[in-house]
Amino acid sequence: MKNLIWIVLTAFMLFGCSKEAPTPVSELIKKTWSASSAQWDGTTQYTKGGSSNLVSGYSQFKLDLSVAGSVTLTEFDGKQFTGSYVLASDNTKITLSNLKSSEGAPTGTSGTLEFRIVGTPTATTLGLETTTTYIKASNKRVSLALVNP
């Protein structure tokens, strides 16, 4: 009987202890992100710390998702927009909407930008790609590698 109790206790310790649940994507993205790199249709435009960036303005790019449902976007041209965001229920897309500033919506967007989440977000990295071409990026798809330092 003692042996059975020890076997059960050992099995519980080895197999019964639950692992921590993974952090939901909605919590992982709830941060302020900056650009580590940016590509337009596969051509690198910016790399953080790079000396020959084609679009050096990405050094000021910020995507602030720190307040659930609210977004502040600072684009590579320095213009800042506020609005709201929604994470798709399948965690594959982030839609920024009602984006506006004193000058209006981001050029050619009607105030909406949609990004596909590329890869698996972590506590410090987030990959995004526009779902359509973006006029401010010479009508190309934008891929962003974002970091939260």
Side-chain angles (χ1 to χ4, degrees):
M1 183 68 164
K2 275 186 176 180
N3 286 341
L4 180 59
I5 292 172
W6 281 111
I7 291 171
V8 170
L9 286 174
T10 303
F12 176 74
M13 290 173 58
L14 290 175
F15 304 107
C17 295
S18 64
K19 296 180 182 178
E20 287 186 34
T23 305
V25 172
S26 60
E27 289 301 311
L28 287 172
I29 67 169
K30 214 166 113 178
K31 299 181 169 110
T32 299
W33 301 94
S34 61
S36 175
S37 67
Q39 294 184 347
W40 295 355
D41 278 352
T43 301
T44 300
Q45 304 295 313
Y46 172 81
T47 302
K48 188 175 189 172
S51 59
S52 58
N53 288 315
L54 299 174
V55 184
S56 60
Y58 274 106
S59 64
Q60 61 192 342
F61 179 93
K62 295 271 186 270
L63 180 62
D64 184 350
L65 305 172
S66 61
V67 176
S70 296
V71 64
T72 300
L73 171 66
T74 305
E75 294 233 279
F76 64 86
D77 60 4
K79 293 184 180 176
Q80 190 175 72
F81 304 91
T82 58
S84 56
Y85 80 89
V86 173
L87 174 65
S89 61
D90 64 359
N91 297 325
T92 61
K93 287 193 285 190
I94 297 174
T95 303
L96 313 181
S97 57
N98 301 314
L99 292 171
K100 57 186 171 246
S101 71
S102 59
E103 300 174 14
T107 305
T109 67
S110 300
T112 300
L113 285 170
E114 188 174 75
F115 294 94
R116 183 174 61 85
I117 296 176
V118 179
T120 303
T122 70
T124 57
T125 62
L126 175 62
L128 298 178
E129 181 178 80
T130 56
T131 58
T132 61
T133 59
Y134 187 34
I135 194 168
K136 287 176 99 172
S138 300
N139 284 319
K140 297 184 176 164
R141 285 188 187 265
V142 178
S143 295
L144 299 166
L146 304 177
V147 292
N148 175 259

